[in-house]
Amino acid sequence: MRPKPGTISCMVASSDSYARTWGMRLRSMRPGFSPSAPSSTSGGSFGLFAEPPTVAAFAAAGAAAGATTVEVGPPYRRAIPDQGRTVLRRRLAQLWRELPDDAPVLILMSGIAGGSHDKYLKHFLRRAHRAGYRCVAMNCRGTASSPLTTPQFYSASFTGDIRAVVDELHGRWPGAKLFAVGWSLGANILTNFLGEEGADAKLTAAVAMCNPFDLQLCDDALQNGFFGKVYSTTMAANMGKLFEPHKHLFAGLPLYDQDLVFAAKTVRDFDEAVTRITFGFPSVDAYYDASSSRNKIADVRIPLLVVQAKDDPIAVHAAVPHAEIRGNAHVILLETATGGHLGWTAGAEAPFGSPWPDTGAMQFFEAIRAGVGVAAAGAGDGAAAAVGAGAAAGAGADP
């Protein structure tokens, strides 16, 4: 049930789960408890409140319902308020019937304020489709005209949505190998997810392009460099446009100020007004520190190809965690002298078609898919070299 204007939707946990809302956790709550009339969803019960519930109000309600603990916790990243996964299942059931069940699956994750309409994503999608991949373009909450039904956008650290997509696809095609490619902010989210999952990741391999890695350093570039300022101003305007249709969902959230949202002139301003508030961070700097994927790259345990440009004015070269990458045999770093931020143009399809990194990325996927270098994974420094050699062996031919 969609909340009416002026109300908010709040997740209420069952006895086997817990909800994290605005940094608060309620544990061991009796099944079926709801402070107001609930509506059933696959994620639990949702209650509607005319006014935003405070921590004290939730504590009192939880105690009345038999909750054993009510405590303040860290910002949530893995909990996922339900947005209608039955709709996802219904749509997927109508697609891709011409492919065999064991066809490889590729998830594509665009950059900030982007989505399935982005040209770089479409170029890669066509290439993968020609190679027989089942392609899934992931639109983050509120992007690409997708609906938003909860007071939460996506963020650089929130991995709940990509985890839900991976789990859904793995459950639907358990015999297929899963791959993923991410660009810019999508690359950061993907890397964070892979680090959190470690050896339990259901993905076979992944590619990350123009990953900002260290959001503090990249924010400095956005504030001080000419191209950074242009990019930041443009992205803030785009985020404001995405937010506008859903602003009523956020009304009443603690510390939320709608005037700050529409006064935002930079990405940092928007993160201050929306992102850090809805995800429970005490400051933008705390959000950037916790969300930087350089903190997770060392924990990646599947083959990951990282492609960066040294002259990138957004995902700056200083942000790349070279030491951590050198110490992880599962990660390959490819850096180019030029290319800007997703600005590579060389290649067989240049200047209007697919950029050259797409060819290498697909060759990397095909090498992993064929098992080249996989046996060496975890065997030391030679593992990454073996995978890299396998990817290079296929150079020269488009899929």
Side-chain angles (χ1 to χ4, degrees), residues 226-310:
F226 171 75
F227 290 106
K229 290 180 179 178
V230 173
Y231 175 88
S232 183
T233 301
T234 302
M235 288 300 102
N238 290 341
M239 293 299 289
K241 292 177 182 177
L242 293 177
F243 185 84
E244 170 65 28
H246 313 296
K247 60 184 180 182
H248 64 282
L249 293 173
F250 295 79
L253 284 183
L255 305 180
Y256 169 73
D257 186 340
Q258 183 171 285
D259 291 339
L260 290 180
V261 179
F262 295 106
K265 301 298 183 184
T266 66
V267 171
R268 184 183 181 88
D269 290 343
F270 187 88
D271 286 337
E272 169 65 39
V274 177
T275 312
R276 75 101 178 168
I277 295 295
T278 56
F279 284 90
F281 290 96
S283 67
V284 173
D285 290 333
Y287 163 58
Y288 287 162
D289 286 339
S291 305
S292 297
S293 59
R294 69 175 302 146
N295 302 325
K296 295 293 183 180
I297 190 75
D299 298 323
V300 174
R301 291 296 178 268
I302 67 166
L304 172 64
L305 173 64
V306 177
V307 186
Q308 304 284 129
K310 291 183 178 180

Side-chain angles (χ1 to χ4, degrees), residues 32-224:
F33 166 77
S34 175
S36 65
S39 60
S40 298
T41 69
S42 59
S45 298
F46 281 74
L48 300 181
F49 298 84
E51 297 294 336
T54 62
V55 172
F58 251 107
T68 56
T69 353
V70 178
E71 57 184 277
V72 175
Y76 63 81
R77 300 185 200 176
R78 301 167 71 99
I80 171 173
D82 186 271
Q83 275 226 135
R85 293 176 63 187
T86 55
V87 175
L88 172 65
R89 294 189 180 97
R90 185 168 62 249
R91 290 177 179 173
L92 289 178
Q94 300 171 1
L95 302 175
W96 310 315
R97 297 181 185 276
E98 72 278 9
L99 293 173
D101 286 346
D102 61 350
V105 179
L106 176 64
I107 303 169
L108 303 97
M109 304 173 64
S110 64
I112 185 172
S116 52
H117 57 281
D118 287 324
K119 289 184 178 179
Y120 57 82
L121 185 149
K122 289 181 177 179
H123 285 312
F124 203 104
L125 186 149
R126 292 191 195 101
R127 183 180 293 272
H129 178 70
R130 292 196 299 266
Y133 284 68
R134 194 187 309 276
C135 298
V136 181
M138 176 180 164
N139 289 322
C140 289
R141 298 175 183 229
T143 65
S145 300
S146 61
L148 191 67
T149 61
T150 60
Q152 177 188 323
F153 266 135
Y154 58 96
S155 79
S157 61
F158 181 63
T159 56
D161 287 344
I162 179 58
R163 182 171 289 102
V165 170
V166 170
D167 288 345
E168 175 69 32
L169 296 175
H170 182 265
R172 183 169 290 273
W173 294 287
K177 293 182 178 179
L178 270 61
F179 301 87
V181 55
W183 293 268
S184 194
L185 186 68
N188 188 83
I189 297 172
L190 176 59
T191 304
N192 274 330
F193 168 68
L194 294 177
E196 289 175 1
E197 295 295 289
D200 295 327
K202 296 182 177 70
L203 295 178
T204 301
V207 173
M209 300 191 199
C210 292
N211 188 343
F213 278 116
D214 188 321
L215 300 187
Q216 288 284 13
L217 288 178
C218 293
D219 178 59
D220 290 341
L222 291 180
Q223 294 186 68
N224 300 317

Side-chain angles (χ1 to χ4, degrees), residues 333-359:
L333 172 62
L334 171 60
E335 292 183 301
T336 62
T338 59
H341 191 67
L342 302 177
W344 295 291
T345 56
E349 300 179 20
F352 302 111
S354 178
W356 75 264
D358 289 10
T359 301

